[in-house]
Amino acid sequence: AQRVTQPEKLLSVFKGAPVELKCNYSYSGSPELFWYVQYSRQRLQLLLRHISRESIKGFTADLNKGETSFHLKKPFAQEEDSAMYYCALSGTSYGKLTFGQGTILTVHP
Amino acid sequence: KAGVTQTPRYLIKTRGQQVTLSCSPISGHRSVSWYQQTPGQGLQFLFEYFSETQRNKGNFPGRFSGRQFSNSRSEMNVSTLELGDSALYLCASSFAEGAVGYNEQFFGPGTRLTVL
């Protein structure tokens, strides 16, 4: 079975502060991990995935297989980062993403 | 390219009725996945279609069904609606060419179903 856990439902930071959204997963094989973001009144969209190892909008995420984690980080949060963030896992089954419960990030001015 | 579209955007039904939701994928995408989003359960996978065939199914009762047409458009149907079926139903399309594993999924805006 595969499972994704995001322990924080809500996360508040001030503009310019570092932010880390936590994600832990459970999967017996080699998963593909992703972060999706949903801004207010917009559709769910891919933020980044671990295999690309790139930084998007200043966000990075490193897959730690030992700790089964895929935390999302940004050194200096911006107000426009306020959104719902979902961590998701893809295993070996067709077309299925397993999502965490999501973390609402609020960046205060 | 136009994004994934879903119709209708909002629906209100009563218990016992049935409902059909439609999803048009991005041009060229042949895989369509459906998800149910609720405050309590979050995003849960319903099923996936590729080239008119259901390849994968989540843990939902048989009241939930779907199909895909030759142009890759997909519909999902829920029969004998229950109050607990009230949710946002999302579809996502990808370019998947038969390989197991991930192909980036592009999501539609969703259909908000309310069951009274």
Side-chain angles (χ1 to χ4, degrees), chain A residues 49-108:
Chain A
R49 51 184 179 176
H50 88 272
I51 59 172
S52 62
R53 302 183 68 81
E54 57 187 347
S55 172
I56 305 292
K57 298 184 179 182
F59 284 97
T60 58
D62 290 318
L63 178 61
N64 186 322
K65 292 186 178 181
E67 296 183 359
T68 59
S69 67
F70 187 57
H71 303 326
L72 183 68
K73 300 177 185 179
K74 185 169 183 177
F76 308 103
Q78 304 299 315
E79 289 178 68
E80 55 265 31
D81 296 328
S82 296
M84 171 74 98
Y85 291 80
Y86 292 96
C87 183
L89 178 154
S90 174
T92 56
S93 59
Y94 292 112
K96 177 182 178 181
L97 288 174
T98 298
F99 286 89
Q101 291 284 43
T103 298
I104 299 174
L105 173 65
T106 303
V107 181
H108 300 283

Side-chain angles (χ1 to χ4, degrees), chain B:
Chain B
K1 280 185 178 177
V4 177
T5 59
Q6 293 186 245
T7 57
R9 295 293 310 279
Y10 302 91
L11 265 179
I12 298 176
K13 294 285 187 179
T14 57
R15 280 182 301 173
Q17 287 186 309
Q18 75 164 18
V19 67
T20 300
L21 313 181
S22 181
C23 172
S24 292
I26 291 171
S27 178
H29 286 190
R30 295 203 287 161
S31 169
V32 174
S33 298
W34 287 90
Y35 296 86
Q36 182 194 64
Q37 186 176 27
T38 59
Q41 300 297 318
L43 280 151
Q44 293 187 290
F45 172 76
L46 280 156
F47 29 65
E48 187 256 8
Y49 286 86
F50 179 83
S51 290
E52 303 178 65
T53 301
Q54 185 184 90
R55 297 192 300 183
N56 200 2
K57 190 177 190 310
N59 295 325
F60 280 83
R63 301 185 297 108
F64 291 82
S65 62
R67 59 177 176 169
Q68 188 180 34
F69 302 94
S70 59
N71 62 357
S72 294
R73 189 177 70 84
S74 178
E75 289 181 346
M76 68 163 282
N77 183 275
V78 188
S79 62
T80 320
L81 284 166
E82 300 178 359
L83 295 179
D85 297 333
S86 293
L88 181 68
Y89 290 88
L90 297 172
C91 81
S93 75
S94 74
F95 187 67
E97 283 296 336
V100 174
Y102 181 76
N103 284 270
E104 181 177 348
Q105 293 190 12
F106 295 82
F107 283 82
T111 294
R112 173 75 62 185
L113 172 64
T114 302
V115 182
L116 303 176

